[in-house]
């Protein structure tokens, strides 16, 4: 094939292959961390470059630009800005639970301000970073060629610290992502120590050690234990994190809220800005002012408009409307030991780290054994010198080429001969000979012990346990849990009510379903404008903080907050625009939500009693409460006002029964209240027997019948003819 010859190929096939290569590169080389050391390639290269620069915790700082330059020039063929951004995050105490870089200078802050340029900041490694690199010079891990083939870089770090779960990780790849919150190192170590002894421990057992995420910014975790257990067992879930706060009292009975910690990854400046916007939009009417008094610690001061407000209710509203409550996702999607991406449970991730520690231990042990063998070989050569000292000196003095002569005369190999020729004269002492013999014996004993350990996995696990306990001792004094875990608080009232100023209103709804909320208590006989051809139907008094329950003939109920209704100007708006009301289905009831029982009845003569809470719907689609069969329809949904229930049919027969004979149900058709033949139930109401039964006559006058004995009967009876003057068609109101 000629050098410049064009090759024709299918475009979609070629594009698919190239995109697949890009996707795999993004997944394995950029976005997903390795389960063994919890690092992405850029972080691994940063730490390795800092080790080569000898930026150990006890050494001095070097310019960040020096580190970034080495990483970019030797290991990471990407832009310096991306490398420096990764380095900055490793140094931020509010981003990393256990920082890997010890920064000197401006590395950004929790307000969201950027770090200073790399030429102004300096850095070195932390003790945790040193733990991740411990043993890297002892053949603990594999190395590969760098991108330009001029050097080598580690494929993975030895990682004596459980970095993946301790510091967490975030990343978005192609078709997958990872989100791992940070955890407390002591809790992870305790769980790992248990897994070393009991690898088959249950997922639930992990919660005895790992209480939940532990964020560097603190806060309060309010997730239920069962949801934590499910998330940790599956590797997927979410955690609700809230700001930590306290109520600070003042002289005279006043108080203010002090925010002492904000959720992880929430920028303080942006949080305050968002709250100020909500205050300006009058969506936080219960707050008078918010001030930022933070120095090194977080201190946000929130002043209420009234000292009579419950602080817990105030905070619940802020949690609902601002990032003072933030949802942290868990997606434990990582690369396993073979480089394959997958979602792991928290137990599996810890087991993978433990297995990696065993591999590192075996490799470091093999490296040490090879060093011992090489040293013993040299020692044997040295001992030959002491046994034949005069002859060795003579060969060195007289021979032009002493190396081959020594090898031939004493049966030495080249390494031993070179070691003998490199010996210093002052080493040729009797005391030195004795020390060499002791060293040989010690090395032989060490080699025997290491070989025995390599053949016994139980001893290997014991060695790992000992090293992990030693690491635990370094953290136990200073590593306290920062994030509190508390149950979801139970409140006596709805926090949403605080968002609405309480005032008296009148609800007016017309025959055609146009509804509005008018300020004040307006009587039904007042002149209220309606659209042409429309007529009034419902008129009730309420407060602006109340909710309405709306019942339709089909037995379905809807809920709407009064503050969501249009004002009194104009004709209002159709209810059909606010809730999903079935077409041409009449509204038969509108009630204010207040504690109590509700009487439901249908035209088939069936009915039951229910609690008002059973009528409340959470969505616009409503809630089916009463089942109506065939051509029947719900004709009554009224608060239970007494122990007696009056029923009247289209045949003008009335029956009064005891409310105790009607069952209390959550939903359904109910029981037969009154029987009919070629008729149906026209209306139902409840009342107190001592007050008598009232109804509205033609002309609007109200009549009360106090002697109700003729109509009192058993449930499911037929009833008797209504009193003279009862309205036509038969209705109580």
């Amino acid at each position: 094939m000629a050098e410049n010859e064009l090759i024709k190929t299918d475009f979609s096939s070629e594009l698919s292959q190239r995109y697949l290569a890009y996707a795999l590169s993004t997944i394995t080389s950029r976005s997903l961390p390795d389960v063994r050391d919890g690092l992405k390639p850029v972080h691994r290269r940063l730490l390795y470059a800092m080790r080569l620069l000898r930026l150990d915790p006890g050494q001095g700082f070097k310019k960040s630009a020096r580190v970034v330059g080495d990483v970019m020039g030797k290991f990471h063929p990407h832009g310096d800005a991306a490398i420096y951004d990764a380095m900055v995050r490793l140094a931020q105490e509010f981003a990393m639970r256990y920082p890997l870089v010890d920064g000197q200078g401006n590395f950004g802050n929790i307000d969201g301000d950027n770090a200073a340029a790399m030429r102004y900041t300096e850095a070195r490694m932390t003790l945790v970073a040193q733990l991740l690199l411990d043993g890297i010079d002892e053949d603990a891990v594999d190395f590969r060629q760098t991108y330009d083939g001029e050097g080598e870089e580690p494929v993975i770090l030895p990682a004596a610290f459980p970095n993946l779960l301790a510091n967490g990780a975030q990343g978005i790849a192609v078709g997958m992502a990872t989100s791992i919150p940070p955890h407390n190192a002591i809790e992870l170590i305790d769980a790992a120590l248990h897994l070393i002894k009991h690898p088959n421990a249950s997922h639930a057992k992990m919660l005895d050690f790992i209480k939940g995420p532990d964020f560097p910014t603190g806060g309060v975790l309010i997730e239920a234990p069962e949801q934590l257990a499910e998330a940790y067992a599956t590797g997927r879930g979410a955690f609700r994190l809230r700001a930590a706060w306290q109520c600070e009292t003042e002289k005279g009975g006043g108080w203010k809220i002090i925010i002492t910690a904000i959720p992880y990854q929430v920028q303080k400046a942006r949080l305050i800005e968002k709250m100020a916007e909500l205050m300006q939009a009058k969506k936080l009417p219960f707050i008078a002012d918010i001030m930022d008094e933070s120095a090194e610690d977080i201190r946000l001061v929130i002043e209420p408009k009234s000292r009579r407000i419950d602080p817990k209710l105030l905070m619940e509203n802020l949690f609902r409307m601002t990032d003072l409550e933030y949802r942290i996702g868990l997606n434990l999607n990582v690369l396993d030991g073979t480089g394959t991406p997958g979602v792991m449970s928290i137990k599996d991730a810890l087991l993978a780290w433990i297995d990696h520690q065993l591999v590192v231990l075996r490799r470091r042990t093999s490296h040490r054994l090879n060093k011992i063998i090489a040293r013993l070989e040299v020692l044997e050569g040295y001992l030959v010198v002491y046994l034949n000292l005069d002859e060795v000196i003579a060969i060195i003095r007289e021979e032009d080429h002493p190396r081959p002569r020594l090898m031939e005369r004493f049966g030495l190999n080249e390494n031993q001969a070179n070691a003998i020729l490199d010996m210093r004269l002052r080493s040729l002492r009797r005391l030195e000979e004795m020390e060499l013999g002791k060293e040989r014996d010690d090395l032989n004993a060490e080699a025997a012990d290491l070989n025995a350990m390599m053949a016994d996995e139980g001893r290997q696990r014991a060695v790992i346990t000992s090293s992990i306990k030693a690491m635990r001792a370094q953290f136990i004094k200073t590593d306290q849990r920062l994030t509190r875990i508390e149950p979801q608080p139970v409140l006596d009232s709805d926090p949403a009510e605080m968002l609405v100023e309480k005032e008296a209103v009148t609800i007016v709804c017309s025959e055609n379903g146009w509804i509005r909320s008018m300020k004040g208590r307006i009587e039904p006989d007042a002149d209220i404008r309606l659209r042409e051809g429309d007529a009034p139907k419902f008129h009730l008094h309420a407060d602006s903080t109340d909710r309405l329950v709306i019942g339709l003939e089909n037995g379905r109920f809807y809920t709407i907050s009064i503050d969501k209704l249009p004002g009194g100007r104009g004709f209002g708006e159709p209810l059909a625009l606010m809730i999903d009301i079935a077409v041409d289905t009449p509204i038969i009831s509108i009630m204010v939500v207040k504690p109590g029982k509700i009487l439901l009845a249908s035209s088939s003569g069936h009915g039951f009693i229910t609690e008002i809470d059973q009528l409340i719907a959470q969505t616009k689609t409503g809630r089916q409460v009463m089942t109506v069969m065939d051509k029947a329809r719900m004709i009554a949904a009224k608060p239970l006002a007494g122990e007696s229930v009056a029923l009247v049919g289209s045949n003008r027969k009335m029956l009064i029964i005891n409310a105790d004979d009607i069952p209390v149900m959550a939903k359904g058709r109910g029981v037969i209240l009154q029987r009919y033949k070629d008729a149906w139930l026209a209306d139902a109401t409840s009342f107190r027997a001592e007050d008598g039964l009232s109804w509205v006559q033609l002309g609007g006058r109200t009549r009360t019948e106090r002697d109700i004995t003729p109509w009192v009967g058993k449930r499911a009876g037929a009833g008797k003819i209504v009193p003279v003057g009862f309205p036509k068609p038969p209705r109580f109101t």
Side-chain angles (χ1 to χ4, degrees):
M1 182 179 65
E3 183 178 350
N4 296 324
E5 182 180 350
L6 296 176
I7 301 173
K8 292 185 178 181
T9 183
D10 181 66
F11 180 76
S12 61
S13 174
E14 193 71 20
L15 190 63
S16 298
Q17 291 180 10
R18 294 173 187 269
Y19 186 74
L20 180 61
Y22 164 74
L24 290 173
S25 173
T26 301
I27 292 169
T28 60
S29 300
R30 292 192 191 182
S31 301
L32 298 190
D34 193 292
V35 69
R36 295 168 291 180
D37 64 3
L39 298 173
K40 301 176 186 179
V42 64
H43 303 137
R44 198 174 295 122
R45 288 163 178 166
L46 273 164
L47 295 183
Y48 186 59
M50 294 179 78
R51 180 182 177 84
L52 295 181
L53 288 170
R54 301 185 183 278
L55 292 175
D56 297 328
Q59 303 298 318
F61 292 87
K62 278 189 172 66
K63 287 286 188 182
S64 300
R66 173 73 184 278
V67 178
V68 172
D70 275 20
V71 172
M72 183 170 58
K74 295 180 180 179
F75 309 115
H76 201 64
H78 297 278
D80 59 341
I83 298 171
Y84 185 54
D85 286 346
M87 181 179 176
V88 165
R89 187 178 184 278
L90 295 183
Q92 292 175 335
E93 293 184 352
F94 55 87
M96 301 289 288
R97 182 63 179 83
Y98 303 93
L100 303 181
V101 173
D102 183 7
Q104 186 169 264
N106 177 16
F107 277 82
N109 56 40
I110 200 169
D111 280 331
D113 297 332
N114 293 327
M118 69 181 80
R119 63 183 178 273
Y120 298 121
T121 61
E122 297 178 336
R124 65 183 177 188
M125 291 188 296
T126 62
L127 289 172
V128 174
Q130 197 171 41
L131 285 172
L132 293 178
L133 290 158
D134 187 29
I136 199 168
D137 295 329
E138 300 174 22
D139 193 36
V141 293
D142 290 330
F143 279 71
R144 64 186 170 205
Q145 284 192 330
T146 56
Y147 70 93
D148 57 3
E150 293 184 1
E152 287 188 330
E153 64 174 333
V155 176
I156 199 78
L157 297 188
F161 178 78
N163 183 61
L164 176 74
L165 296 174
N167 273 321
Q170 303 286 331
I172 300 175
V174 177
M176 61 180 65
T178 187
S179 177
I180 306 170
H183 292 78
N184 184 270
I186 297 297
E187 295 177 5
L188 294 173
I189 290 170
D190 289 342
L193 290 172
H194 182 80
L195 283 175
I196 291 174
K197 290 184 178 179
H198 310 283
N200 296 322
S202 66
H203 294 290
K205 185 65 177 177
M206 294 297 97
L207 291 181
D208 291 346
F209 306 99
I210 305 172
K211 306 304 180 184
D214 189 18
F215 300 95
T217 52
V220 181
L221 195 72
I222 60 168
E223 209 59 54
E226 56 271 16
Q227 292 173 324
L228 273 172
E230 182 182 357
Y232 280 160
T234 61
R236 294 185 186 275
F239 308 104
R240 283 190 298 164
L241 183 66
R242 287 183 167 184
W245 64 280
Q246 60 191 34
C247 186
E248 193 174 277
T249 57
E250 299 175 327
K251 291 182 179 179
W255 56 268
K256 54 188 176 183
I257 296 293
I258 308 298
I259 306 292
T260 57
I262 62 176
Y264 182 57
Q265 294 181 329
V266 172
Q267 296 180 359
K268 179 163 62 71
R270 179 60 188 141
L271 173 67
I272 297 172
E273 183 182 342
K274 179 67 183 296
M275 292 175 69
E277 290 174 358
L278 291 173
M279 289 175 62
Q280 202 168 28
K282 297 184 178 180
K283 293 184 178 180
L284 299 177
F286 44 86
I287 291 181
D289 195 9
I290 177 170
M291 295 168 288
D292 184 6
E293 297 180 358
S294 304
E296 291 184 3
D297 297 329
I298 298 293
R299 181 180 169 87
L300 301 182
V301 181
I302 298 174
E303 292 186 357
K305 277 192 174 179
S306 170
R307 68 178 65 176
R308 291 175 294 178
I309 299 174
D310 185 345
K312 292 182 179 179
L313 282 176
L314 184 149
M315 287 305 300
E316 282 297 320
N317 267 299
L318 287 176
F319 289 142
R320 291 185 181 190
M321 301 189 67
T322 70
D323 283 344
L324 287 175
E325 178 178 311
Y326 198 71
R327 204 164 183 83
I328 308 291
L330 171 67
N331 183 12
L332 228 165
N333 192 6
V334 293
L335 301 175
D336 63 15
T338 64
T340 304
V343 178
M344 294 185 176
S345 68
I346 199 165
K347 173 193 166 184
D348 293 337
L350 277 174
L351 284 174
W353 177 71
I354 293 169
D355 290 342
H356 179 55
Q357 294 310 296
L358 289 170
V359 171
V360 168
L361 173 64
R362 294 177 192 130
R363 292 188 60 150
R364 293 181 71 177
T365 303
S366 295
H367 177 77
R368 176 59 183 161
L369 283 170
N370 291 333
K371 290 287 187 181
I372 290 174
I373 291 170
R375 180 60 178 168
L376 286 172
E377 183 181 69
V378 171
L379 290 178
E380 292 296 337
Y382 285 165
L383 290 173
V384 167
V385 174
Y386 290 104
L387 292 174
N388 306 275
L389 185 57
D390 294 338
E391 189 176 356
V392 169
I393 293 174
I395 291 173
I396 294 173
R397 290 181 62 185
E398 297 171 3
E399 293 288 339
D400 293 335
H401 302 287
R403 183 184 294 110
R405 179 61 182 147
L406 288 171
M407 294 171 62
E408 179 185 354
R409 172 67 183 85
F410 300 109
L412 304 175
N413 59 33
E414 187 173 353
N415 287 337
Q416 290 172 319
N418 287 334
I420 291 171
L421 292 172
D422 291 338
M423 287 182 70
R424 295 180 179 181
L425 288 175
R426 65 181 180 182
S427 300
L428 301 177
R429 295 178 298 139
R430 183 66 182 170
L431 183 61
E432 191 70 24
E433 180 183 359
M434 295 173 61
E435 290 178 354
L436 290 175
K438 183 178 182 302
E439 182 182 356
R440 178 187 62 183
D441 295 340
D442 291 344
L443 289 176
N444 280 323
E446 183 183 354
D449 184 64
L450 292 178
N451 280 317
M453 188 264 288
M454 289 288 281
D456 185 353
E457 185 174 340
R459 280 195 60 189
Q460 294 171 26
R461 289 183 174 271
V463 172
I464 293 296
T465 298
S466 178
S467 63
I468 291 177
K469 285 183 177 179
M471 176 177 63
R472 186 182 190 277
Q474 297 180 24
F475 287 89
I476 192 65
K477 293 182 180 179
T478 58
D479 188 26
Q480 303 299 319
R481 170 170 273 279
L482 300 177
T483 301
R484 302 200 310 270
I485 300 176
E486 298 178 357
Q488 170 81 36
V490 178
L491 302 174
D492 297 331
S493 56
D494 186 359
E497 292 182 2
M498 292 180 59
L499 300 176
V500 181
E501 186 176 350
K502 187 174 182 178
E503 59 180 351
V505 294
T506 300
I507 308 302
V508 176
C509 185
S510 69
E511 289 278 0
N512 293 337
W514 284 67
I515 194 169
R516 54 184 151 159
S517 172
M518 308 175 72
K519 291 184 178 181
R521 298 284 192 241
I522 301 174
E523 296 304 319
D525 56 359
D527 184 18
I528 299 175
R529 292 191 310 132
L530 297 171
R531 299 172 73 247
E532 187 175 350
D534 206 349
K537 187 174 184 180
F538 298 100
H539 188 107
L540 60 157
H541 295 153
D543 291 325
S544 56
T545 56
D546 290 333
R547 289 178 294 171
L548 298 179
V549 167
I550 300 165
L552 272 63
E553 279 189 353
N554 59 6
R556 201 167 188 86
F557 287 82
Y558 302 81
T559 306
I560 190 169
S561 298
I562 289 179
D563 65 290
K564 300 293 192 300
L565 298 177
R569 293 184 179 181
F571 304 116
E573 294 180 7
L575 268 172
L577 297 178
M578 307 175 200
I579 51 180
D580 295 338
I581 295 179
V583 179
D584 298 330
T585 303
I587 300 169
I588 60 100
S589 172
I590 296 181
M591 298 175 285
V592 177
V593 176
K594 292 182 178 178
K597 290 182 170 57
I598 305 298
L599 172 66
L600 303 181
S602 68
S603 59
S604 63
H606 293 78
F608 62 92
I609 294 171
T610 190
E611 297 286 346
I612 187 72
D613 291 344
Q614 299 296 332
L615 307 183
I616 297 175
Q618 303 298 330
T619 63
K620 293 175 63 176
T621 56
R623 185 175 188 176
Q624 189 70 43
V625 178
M626 187 167 203
T627 303
V628 288
M629 311 293 288
D630 301 327
K631 295 182 180 180
R633 57 189 178 86
M634 186 171 70
I635 55 93
K638 301 176 180 178
L640 192 65
E643 75 285 354
S644 298
V645 173
L647 308 156
V648 63
S650 60
N651 57 3
R652 298 185 63 77
K653 286 188 176 182
M654 185 168 69
L655 175 67
I656 298 176
I657 62 176
N658 196 305
D660 292 339
D661 295 334
I662 304 175
V664 177
M665 302 170 57
K667 61 179 180 179
R669 188 182 184 189
V671 297
I672 296 176
L673 303 178
Q674 185 176 6
R675 291 188 183 275
Y676 302 98
K677 183 178 180 181
D678 300 327
W680 59 88
L681 180 61
D683 199 6
T685 191
S686 60
F687 64 98
R688 295 171 59 188
E690 59 267 29
D691 295 337
L693 175 63
S694 300
W695 61 84
V696 179
Q697 294 182 314
L698 294 176
R701 290 181 303 171
T702 299
R703 176 183 167 181
T704 300
E705 182 66 48
R706 300 194 180 277
D707 183 12
I708 59 173
T709 306
W711 296 277
V712 174
K714 296 290 186 182
R715 180 180 64 78
K720 294 184 178 180
I721 294 297
V722 298
V724 176
F726 201 84
K728 296 180 181 179
R731 296 283 297 177
F732 293 109
T733 55

